[in-house]
Amino acid sequence: MEVSAFHTAFLAIFCIVPVLSQRSCKINDFDVQRNFRPERFSGVWHLVGYNRMLSPVTRLPPRIKSISTRYVKSRYYLGADGRGFIMSNGQVTVTLQNGYQFTRCERVDFSTIMEEGSRPVMDLIQVTGRRRGSITRSHIMETDYNNYAVRYTCEEELNNGRCAPDKDHLWVLRKDNATFALTPTQIQNIMSRLCISGSYVQSPIGEECPVPTMSI
């Protein structure tokens, strides 16, 4: 019985190792949403989880210790060609070196362009906020349009096609009035598939900051 159990375990490991060794961490090898329909993605989305926020384009002033963001909600206006706008609003907490904190709602707007090709890559051009003028390539990994969406971004792509260490970003979104959410197991499987570094951080949903609207 012991020999049989050992033999079974050995076969299981033998079968798993080739599968793991064939996993590619090249961005263009990741499975993405097929036949993405940008216009169906329009609406209000809540950020429910991520592995890290985008790094600032400039160094923080010495008196600032950290900046954290929660309760992020975004309104997407996208046409069939992917051109449109994204307006995001979130609660930002700034912690100073002396321990003092202040919190406020901060809005950031983007214009969007879909890249040509078979992969759904949306270029986000930031038009307001601290990263104004920056461009982020956002890969639409999967969505059902009505409940959840998974986006992937990389701040620095290496020559070998992989993302530089600590420069990858996973964004898990939940549609307003969604009827279900991804489970922790599903999220961990997605992180493994995308070779995501860092740990998953849950982001709360709340009314602390209003849903942004188009200025007239």
Side-chain angles (χ1 to χ4, degrees):
M1 183 64 69
E2 292 180 357
V3 173
S4 177
F6 174 80
H7 180 68
T8 301
F10 176 79
L11 287 178
I13 295 173
F14 180 79
C15 292
I16 290 174
V17 169
V19 174
L20 293 177
S21 63
Q22 292 174 6
R23 187 183 69 161
S24 171
C25 288
K26 294 182 178 179
I27 298 173
N28 286 335
D29 288 344
F30 294 154
D31 289 333
V32 294
Q33 178 74 20
R34 296 184 179 181
N35 303 316
F36 178 61
R37 300 273 301 277
E39 72 277 13
R40 291 187 60 193
F41 205 77
S42 293
V44 176
W45 292 88
H46 299 265
L47 177 65
V48 295
Y50 57 93
N51 67 319
R52 64 172 60 85
M53 288 290 182
L54 291 172
S55 58
V57 293
T58 58
R59 295 181 62 182
L60 294 176
R63 65 190 185 92
I64 295 179
K65 180 178 181 180
S66 64
I67 298 177
S68 62
T69 307
R70 304 194 306 165
Y71 302 107
V72 179
K73 49 180 67 73
S74 304
R75 186 184 296 274
Y76 287 69
Y77 288 104
L78 302 178
D81 61 355
R83 292 179 178 271
F85 300 92
I86 302 174
M87 297 165 291
S88 297
N89 202 15
Q91 185 187 76
V92 176
T93 299
V94 178
T95 303
L96 303 182
Q97 295 290 354
N98 61 8
Y100 177 78
Q101 287 186 334
F102 62 90
T103 300
R104 68 186 181 193
C105 291
E106 187 171 299
R107 175 171 164 172
V108 178
D109 295 347
F110 305 84
S111 61
T112 65
I113 299 175
M114 292 296 297
E115 294 185 6
E116 296 183 0
S118 59
R119 299 178 67 82
V121 181
M122 184 183 299
D123 290 338
L124 310 182
I125 302 94
Q126 189 163 327
V127 296
T128 63
R130 290 184 295 270
R131 292 174 55 88
R132 182 175 181 177
S134 64
I135 300 177
T136 302
R137 300 182 72 233
S138 181
H139 301 252
I140 311 299
M141 309 313 297
E142 57 182 88
T143 182
D144 69 349
Y145 300 102
N146 297 317
N147 295 283
Y148 80 96
V150 178
R151 287 175 38 209
Y152 171 90
T153 60
C154 174
E155 290 189 73
E156 182 184 346
E157 187 172 338
L158 302 175
N159 292 332
N160 60 10
R162 300 186 179 192
C163 193
D166 301 326
K167 294 295 184 179
D168 55 348
H169 301 272
L170 174 75
W171 314 96
V172 179
L173 310 178
R174 184 175 182 181
K175 195 73 172 284
D176 208 29
N177 300 318
T179 57
F180 76 89
L182 295 175
T183 66
T185 298
Q186 290 174 315
I187 291 173
Q188 288 301 317
N189 288 339
I190 291 171
M191 293 182 68
S192 176
R193 194 178 79 226
L194 301 179
C195 305
I196 292 293
S197 60
S199 57
Y200 184 72
V201 179
Q202 289 187 327
S203 182
I205 295 177
E207 302 300 324
E208 281 70 11
C209 296
V211 176
T213 57
M214 183 76 75
S215 300
I216 299 177

